[in-house]
Amino acid sequence: MFRCIIPSTLQRNRAAAKAIASGCGGLQTLSATAVVLDRRAICGLSAVRVSVLTTNRSMTTAYQGIPGDGKHNAHLISDIIPFQTTLIDGRRVEVDYFRHVEDDIEEDEYYAGMALMNLIIREGRSWPFDQEFESVDDWRGYFLSHSAFVVRAINNEMDSSKKDSSRSGEILGCFYVKPNYPGRCSHVCNGGFITAPRFRRLGVGRLMGRVFLRAAKDLGYKSSYFNLVFKSNVGSVLMWESLGFERVAVLENAAALEGMEEGELDTAYGYRYDLEKLPDNYRP
């Protein structure tokens, strides 16, 4: 016979109880808690080891994480967020955290962020994903696991062409800052950037890139590395290089993007920025 001592928080979790009762080995991830069972229990041996692990944010990578609110270590960047400025067409915007409004999809910026992400995935030209996010929690696990921001219109605005208006509070773009790798390499950060299609070529992407640099340094990252900047995304390539990012890798035949000839694969570049060389007085 063996006895498992289970913390009270897990006793209330049906999934954990089921996993323990069935003797399934390996790892069961339950919110921010995991139960690890020694596989010897499966063999009926008397010795069993049960340990409770709190998920470590440093184990997050560029492509996985735990659902958050995008405000991890917000106190470290309170002097720059929110950040207000004027775009090249005279539109006033602010870079701020996502606003979460429960029970109101129209006002909840989580849904706006997921919609933008899914739009970019459908476009299939600038991100590696080919499957859309089906739930806000799944999207939060990817986009909001650490630090994430929106570019939000401050006022009701009309650009100089009188074609693209933005209402107060409308999201023009969004981006995140989080570890690119887990554990011992978690000081190298990654960023993901999305500009809403009708607000492109207004400087939204450049604004996000500049705020990213300041925020990433203040959050304690030592360097930034972008894994996949596609060669065909000329605007992105030019922008990162103009901001001082160094192209340090070339990966040929990396991506089957929408709009390419059948069987054709695009090249991807890897870009690095040494954040320790960013001046302390750097402002977005």
Side-chain angles (χ1 to χ4, degrees):
M1 296 294 292
F2 63 83
R3 181 178 61 178
C4 296
I5 301 175
I6 309 171
S8 60
T9 55
L10 292 183
Q11 287 177 329
R12 295 192 296 270
N13 192 307
R14 294 181 180 179
K18 183 178 179 180
I20 293 171
S22 64
C24 63
L27 186 65
Q28 290 286 331
T29 302
L30 306 168
S31 184
T33 308
V35 178
V36 182
L37 296 179
D38 193 312
R39 288 184 179 271
R40 289 175 296 176
I42 300 177
C43 301
L45 300 179
S46 60
V48 64
R49 174 173 55 88
V50 177
S51 59
V52 178
L53 305 178
T54 301
T55 300
N56 190 334
R57 284 185 183 271
S58 70
M59 293 303 291
T60 296
T61 69
Y63 297 109
Q64 66 180 16
I66 58 175
D69 60 6
K71 299 178 181 179
H72 183 56
N73 281 337
H75 65 284
L76 297 177
I77 51 176
S78 59
D79 60 329
I80 61 168
I81 301 297
F83 178 78
Q84 296 188 359
T85 189
T86 303
L87 298 180
I88 60 176
D89 67 344
R91 198 186 311 256
R92 291 288 294 169
V93 297
E94 64 180 354
V95 179
D96 197 6
Y97 297 106
F98 281 82
R99 291 174 180 167
H100 176 45
V101 182
E102 292 188 16
D103 303 320
D104 190 341
I105 294 178
E106 294 296 324
E107 297 297 326
D108 192 340
E109 291 179 349
Y110 288 2
Y111 285 90
M114 186 176 74
L116 273 179
M117 182 81 211
N118 284 339
L119 174 61
I120 293 299
I121 293 173
R122 290 194 299 273
E123 283 186 349
R125 297 290 302 168
S126 55
W127 290 60
F129 301 103
D130 59 3
Q131 299 291 323
E132 296 182 34
F133 288 90
E134 296 183 353
S135 75
V136 169
D137 278 348
D138 286 344
W139 172 80
R140 287 174 55 224
Y142 174 71
F143 216 92
L144 301 185
S145 65
H146 281 70
S147 306
F149 313 92
V150 300
V151 179
R152 182 188 300 121
I154 295 177
N155 303 310
N156 294 321
E157 298 278 3
M158 183 77 72
D159 68 5
S160 57
S161 69
K162 306 300 181 184
K163 293 181 180 179
D164 290 322
S165 63
S166 59
R167 61 176 176 80
S168 177
E170 187 169 0
I171 303 304
L172 282 62
C174 57
F175 69 102
Y176 64 72
V177 188
K178 64 179 178 180
N180 205 340
Y181 314 105
R184 300 182 190 279
C185 298
S186 59
H187 60 279
V188 180
C189 70
N190 180 260
F193 305 80
I194 302 173
T195 301
R198 69 191 186 94
F199 298 116
R200 291 169 182 167
R201 293 176 291 279
L202 297 179
V204 175
R206 188 173 187 83
L207 168 63
M208 292 190 292
R210 290 181 63 85
V211 174
F212 168 86
L213 289 174
R214 179 74 268 169
K217 182 180 178 69
D218 289 351
L219 286 166
Y221 295 104
K222 303 299 183 182
S223 66
S224 172
Y225 184 69
F226 297 163
N227 305 300
L228 299 168
V229 179
F230 299 127
K231 180 179 179 180
S232 61
N233 192 350
V234 177
S236 183
V237 169
L238 293 175
M239 185 185 75
W240 295 125
E241 292 183 357
S242 72
L243 287 175
F245 283 77
E246 178 187 4
R247 186 189 303 178
V248 295
V250 177
L251 181 61
E252 297 182 353
N253 299 325
L257 303 179
E258 291 291 335
M260 303 191 75
E261 298 292 334
E262 184 176 355
E264 184 182 6
L265 297 173
D266 199 7
T267 295
Y269 298 139
Y271 279 98
R272 177 181 182 267
Y273 196 104
D274 186 350
L275 293 170
E276 294 190 300
K277 294 182 179 180
L278 189 75
D280 291 336
N281 61 353
Y282 178 90
R283 296 290 297 176

